Amino acid sequence: MPTLVGELAQALGADAVLTSEDDLRELRDPYSYAGWDGHEASAVVLPGSVEDVQAVVRLANEHGAPLWTISHGRNLAYGGPAPCVPGSVVVSLRRMDRVLEVDDDLAYALVEPGVRFFDLCEAVRPRGLWASVPVLGWGSVVGNTLEHGWGYTPNGDHAANQCGMEVVLASGEVLRTGMGALAGGRTWQTYKRGFGPSADGLFMQSNLGIVTKMGMWLMPQPEAYVPCMVTVPRDEDLAALVEALRPLLLDRTIPNYPLLGPAFGAPGWSLRFALYGREAVVEAQLAIVEQELGAIAGAALTARRYSGEAVAEQAADADPFHRFQAGIPGMEALEVVKARGGEHAGQLDLSPVGNLTGPEAVRLCGLVRALVERHGFDYTPGIIVTPRSLIHITPLTFDTTDEDQVRRAYDAYAAIVPELAAAGYGLYRAHLDFMDVVADSFDWGGHAMRRFQETLKDALDPNGILSPGKQGIWPRARR
Amino acid sequence: MSAVLPPDVSAPAFERALERFAAALGDEAVLTDEASLREFRDPYTFADWNDFWGSAVVLPQTVEQVQEVVRIAGEARIPLWVSSQGRNNAYGGPAPRVRGSVQVSLRRMDRVLEVDAEHAYALLEPGVRFQDLYDHLRAHGHRLWPPMPDIGWGSVVGNTLDYGVGYTVPGQHAMRACGMEVVLPDGDVLRTGMGALPTSRTWQTYPRGFGPALDGLFMQSNLGIVTKMGTWLMPEPECYMACAMTAPGEDSLGPIVDALRPLILDRTIEAHVLIGSAVGAGAWGATRSDWYDGDGPLPLEAIRRIMRERDVGWWNVRWPLYGVEPIVDIQFERVREALSHIPGARVTGRKFGGAEVHERAQTLGERASAGIPSLEMLTMLNWWGGVGGHLDFSPVAPLTGAAAVALYELIGPLLAGAGLDYGPAFILTQRTLIHIVPVIFNTLDEAQVRAAFALYPILVRECASRGYGLYRAHIQFMDLVQEQYSFNDHAVRRFLETIKDAVDAQGILSPGKQGIWPQTLRPARDR
């Protein structure tokens, strides 16, 4: 009887199927205790083409074997590349790494899932286009976007700046969403919808298909670029800062997604954001920002003026956020993790979404602080601010070689999620081990949403092969 | 008792279903008399055509009543067709795709459930019209501007669900929707996004939830009935400038689009830009015979006369700028400079304080981009005299001058060949232009209506073969349009119909909407 691994090797080539202990170790969640089991992959398969992906899916159906799809597997703090169900075959898309198209006039790129933020930047910046990036450049553009990831340019809501997908379904069929369904269509990457219901959202944080191509909107390089930082001196200035900030986001004076956090090594808060555009406009916007945020007692604002064209050189040695907000990714954030938790540091990210008013921000920050401190962790959040909401990301940092510490972090996470939910805060993303816990909290109407999502799952993936358990959605046989 | 029955439902069985609807909703909420049904037909067809008549209209007022309606329909196997206000005019209005459907009108569910002034959103029921939302915001002193399309009588939810566009920011209404409540075909109710968290505080402030985002599935859709929806509002700007440009040359279309694209992409212009034509301008409050009495397409001389007497260009462009006055001034200069090479271009702008625009705005453009509703555009429909109607043909193209010109040169002659006039408009969004072709006719003139309906499929195929798909379509042509979206042997339709069968086993909800059919009715489509 042929094994799935044998058949995969036959279909894709022996070098495309890895099963050695070393290879499988790379698929572990790097931010967990090394001695723990529960998420081991049985093999990793590396398709190089859409046809390869189709072949993998078809073979998995024949064998009734669970797959787990990753792009580059850099979903760190949320499980990395590790599968939910032990024994899954991990489908790594890192070999599908082509930037298929860049349109200079219309400012978009069409990419495969193996394209990293580093790769996309290299492809588009020489053409006068900026991609939005998260802080770490080694992750997949597609993977990050599908996980509802965020970046720091005006296009930082990556899911909202995605336009057009190609998807391999659990049946092995390929579909193109939106205008991509039109044979010879010219607007797949320029118009976000097609004719009839929009399917794109279904394939994000999802186990309903494997995305093999995705359009991403870019921004034209601005003439002037001015990253700013505002600090307020006291913890209780948070409300005033948020209240002053919100109107500037709602009217798009500040067009990107600011990062808010406790000031480094001091009381108070710091806020980073940037301005982009013609020099005269940016100067006028800066004056408004200074007036509105500077009105808070003790607030200090620093701004640095860059030429959009030369920022890569001009900001080479500057605060890394001057680069991130200009769409230049790095690897510095890994050092931050180590600075917090030592050479073998790991973290779980706890990321509830709250509202953007002063009182609401104070309530959420106070609640998260109390919860993590009660469990013995430091409160070191990075808060992504959108015009109406904030995504409050708090790492629970630990030493991955210390089983006890890791366990305390995991226990804390499981205990905190329901408390946040009871207070009205859902998580925008969650670690593998807690996807069920988080999904359980989204139980309006007796779990109406999960019931609907699982109805779709069963209809589209009757054998339950695609990423079972992803975001708490299980195929019938495993429920 | 209605003259039309639902397909494959006997008169007594239908009668029993109507009694159950009446018991659930009240007698006054179930309409079967001919006058009522006439009100819910497509107003823009020849009066004697009756392919798209309903068998009854039901008017639920609560979510529970909507649930009852789908349950009764499911048991009786009666197809439903949902409309909010039913103003999807030019695409079929409230009329059902399947003759004999029971029409579910949500116009009595008309509450503005919440306005959050700080986060600038509203939570609406589907019966709330743009006019209602505007009035509500004004009455409560909110300095917030609503989404606003050309005409203010339609439902905000209905327009959004059909991918409608408008003139405040953001202009693509689907992109400002945040959080839905949906009654599914089996009567279950779900809330999308963060609304699935029972105690949620962020249903209208964060656009996704945990796991796959479902909202898109319920747009242009027959998978559920949306009973609540959040929409983001725009804070009133300190300064609002309604800007306009006229250009006399027909050949300026491409250069205008190319000049504006960088300004749209870099957010100098944040709202949609509208490019209208002289012929369109000539239709405002006038009839064709005011300009030309003969047959055949409007001659050049008549177009020149419109330009002269109406003081308009061949192309008439409008866009708003918002912000503090000094920035608006800089941006206005930038746009003016970018358009300065267009021969004969005349660029104007009128500034308003955000708070005083309600009293001062005069033109439709000044009002629409300030979120002020109007009905003025309806005056265009008198073009041929009689009782005006139109079909809207609306292909989507990349935002390039070349694409705009290609569509212009393709479509004008096809309309002229059918004896119809071409008053094109282009809505410029960030990377796409939507070409709106109002095919205006006199609904009392059967031959003319027939000519318009006969032309539509030709336009669909001609555009699709060049890579331009429609973003929306009239009920009669939904199958044809969906047919064009054929990648991998109609993979998208197959996918959506798999979902349709899974969530609507009885196939009762708006069968045929956007060319998506339940299993039982697909054989008829595929024949």
Side-chain angles (χ1 to χ4, degrees), chain B residues 70-89:
Chain B
V70 296
R71 286 183 187 130
I72 294 166
E75 285 164 25
R77 305 286 170 107
I78 292 173
L80 302 173
W81 184 265
V82 184
S83 66
S84 300
Q85 280 289 337
R87 299 298 191 185
N88 196 19
N89 289 352

Side-chain angles (χ1 to χ4, degrees), chain A residues 71-409:
Chain A
S71 299
H72 270 277
R74 303 300 190 188
N75 197 18
L76 290 190
Y78 298 108
C84 197
V85 172
S88 296
V89 172
V90 169
V91 183
S92 166
L93 303 173
R94 66 173 187 244
R95 281 195 191 171
M96 296 174 68
D97 60 356
R98 291 175 300 167
V99 176
L100 296 166
E101 187 191 353
V102 178
D103 189 300
D104 296 342
D105 288 336
L106 297 165
Y108 68 77
L110 179 66
V111 298
E112 292 187 325
V115 173
R116 302 168 310 158
F117 285 99
F118 284 135
D119 306 323
L120 181 60
C121 290
E122 197 180 300
V124 305
R125 290 188 80 87
R127 307 169 72 141
L129 295 167
W130 291 8
S132 178
V133 302
V135 294
L136 287 168
W138 66 353
S140 155
V141 177
V142 171
N144 170 282
T145 303
L146 296 184
E147 293 300 325
H148 297 168
W150 290 78
Y152 300 96
T153 72
N155 291 356
D157 183 351
H158 294 166
N161 283 281
Q162 165 272 332
C163 190
M165 289 177 179
E166 180 184 85
V167 185
V168 174
L169 299 174
S171 63
E173 274 201 285
V174 184
L175 72 78
R176 290 187 175 174
T177 66
M179 286 292 171
L182 191 75
R186 294 159 59 93
T187 54
W188 189 20
Q189 270 65 60
T190 65
Y191 182 73
K192 288 175 71 75
R193 290 164 286 278
F195 190 70
S198 296
D200 300 59
L202 280 190
F203 299 111
M204 298 187 179
Q205 290 197 353
S206 166
N207 53 17
L208 301 174
I210 297 177
V211 175
T212 49
K213 292 183 181 66
M214 193 189 79
M216 199 73 204
W217 286 351
L218 309 167
M219 70 177 276
Q221 169 189 296
E223 178 184 290
Y225 160 63
V226 180
C228 305
M229 184 158 96
V230 172
T231 56
V232 291
R234 301 170 310 158
D235 289 346
E236 54 269 36
D237 293 327
L238 176 64
L241 181 59
V242 167
E243 282 300 308
L245 176 63
R246 189 185 59 250
L248 301 173
L249 293 172
L250 279 172
D251 75 3
R252 302 162 312 283
T253 299
I254 298 174
N256 73 335
Y257 297 92
L259 185 68
L260 172 68
F264 189 71
W269 296 84
S270 76
L271 178 76
R272 299 164 187 276
F273 58 90
L275 308 171
Y276 310 78
R278 282 291 178 106
E279 200 176 328
V281 173
V282 166
E283 288 300 328
Q285 287 169 333
L286 185 57
I288 294 171
V289 165
E290 278 172 340
Q291 182 188 319
E292 299 298 320
L293 299 181
I296 302 164
L301 184 144
T302 56
R304 177 140 173 212
R305 293 168 173 80
Y306 291 100
S307 135
E309 198 178 357
V311 64
E313 301 83 60
Q314 291 173 350
D317 300 314
D319 178 339
F321 259 85
H322 292 193
R323 297 192 293 280
F324 303 154
Q325 293 177 98
I328 303 168
M331 292 299 296
E332 295 86 346
L334 286 186
E335 297 308 313
V336 177
V337 177
K338 286 182 184 169
R340 267 200 303 258
E343 188 56 30
H344 302 287
Q347 66 187 46
L348 291 173
D349 275 0
L350 195 62
S351 41
V353 178
N355 284 326
L356 193 64
T357 65
E360 290 265 339
V362 168
R363 180 179 186 267
L364 175 59
C365 293
L367 176 64
V368 177
R369 162 170 250 159
L371 288 171
V372 302
E373 288 181 350
R374 184 195 303 162
H375 289 273
F377 290 88
D378 289 338
Y379 177 66
T380 56
I383 301 170
I384 298 169
V385 186
T386 88
R388 293 175 178 81
S389 56
L390 41 79
I391 302 158
H392 187 297
I393 302 173
T394 305
L396 303 179
T397 303
F398 46 79
D399 179 343
T400 56
T401 61
D402 179 342
E403 182 175 9
D404 205 46
Q405 260 192 49
V406 185
R407 174 147 350 258
R408 276 201 298 117

